[in-house]
Amino acid sequence: MATTWHILGAGSLGSLWATRLFRAGFAVQLILRDAERLAAYHAEGGLTLDEKGLRRTYAVAAQTLDATEPIERLLVACKAYDAEQAVSSLASRLAPGAHILLLQNGLGSQDAVAASVPAARCISISSTEGAFRDQDFSVVFAGQGFNWLGDPANPTPPDWLHALQASGIPGQWTPDILTRLWRKLALNCAINPLTVLYDCRNGGLLEHDQEVASLCAELAQILERCGQPAAAVDLYADVRRVIQATAANYSSMYQDVAQGRRTEISYLLGHACAIAARHQCQVPALNQLHERLIEHLTARGLPSD
Ligand code: NAP
């Protein structure tokens, strides 16, 4: 029998993956927090995907965390700060050699999950696809993108990658997933916190070029010191390119703060500063940015971790 895709978290990306896999004919089980969320899901009649204004609802099967059936393949689609605890609560259901796919942005949560379930194979995904929830259990596919998948502990690709292609999920295996995750983290650190502090769209940072340049120089230093020199190559030029290409957009961190949602700061700027400290790397501009961001979040009653 074909392996079921268990998908933990029916939020933006979880729903985007679940609906595409389901409509391509793969077996999919959503895993929701509790009976209350499951009842709310059943009341909606399924997951709705809005693609270019075309809305369709798919009756994807769903269960709660405490169902008992074993899990062989788990896509973890919750936020970085929820991942370790959510996966731990499923540890007793994981089949020997289960594959766990981690969609979390930033770094730090992947290692925490891998340490909590050492018998599983953990595969990290760096995604540039964009989706947001317009209602409960309804997701808008907002931005075409790509998914890089890789396992820092084992460069051999898994045998289920064809399922992505068959489902129209753009993706490719890479032996350098850490480089991809670090590069994305560095881009995020150079752009997102400043957009929050200056209350601006990405393009607003063109007026703060010197500050962006200083952050990029420190980020490149961290990347070189922690064994990721490839992620440091032409970082500043790439950051400038992203700022220009996305000038009209609000960053994900900006949107989180504007909507009073917890950010993933600890897995982005917080992680960069922690790694810098571990490698005794002097990064005054990044540390000051981190402090200003924490102050800003605290003043708005948002968690600073
Ligand atoms: P999201 O919309 O907030 O969805 C997270 C989901 O996880 C929610 O549905 C939440 O349930 C669920 N969840 C959390 N803890 C759970 C638990 N213990 N058991 C069951 N479900 C649990 O988040 P997202 O935007 O999809 O982001 C997920 C990750 O992908 C983040 O790290 C994000 O940075 C990354 N990412 C997102 C995008 C994007 O466009 N959205 C793009 C690239 C990367 P409730 O609904 O019950 O709260």
Side-chain angles (χ1 to χ4, degrees), residues 45-87:
L47 277 183
T48 299
L49 175 64
D50 180 327
E51 236 177 334
K52 298 184 187 135
L54 208 69
R55 293 176 72 81
R56 274 201 66 181
T57 301
Y58 301 93
V60 181
Q63 59 185 211
T64 53
L65 288 164
D66 55 11
T68 52
E69 117 211 357
I71 296 173
E72 288 173 34
R73 189 178 303 147
L74 177 67
L75 177 73
V76 182
C78 55
K79 290 284 170 75
Y81 45 76
D82 283 325
E84 183 186 357
Q85 202 195 359
V87 173

Side-chain angles (χ1 to χ4, degrees), residues 10-13 15 44 46-57 131-142 259 261:
S12 309
L13 279 199
S15 302
E44 292 297 332
L47 277 183
T48 299
L49 175 64
D50 180 327
E51 236 177 334
K52 298 184 187 135
L54 208 69
R55 293 176 72 81
R56 274 201 66 181
T57 301
F132 65 87
R133 280 192 273 189
D134 59 348
Q135 295 164 44
D136 221 8
F137 304 116
S138 171
V139 65
V140 179
F141 190 3
Q259 288 166 34
R261 293 191 304 241

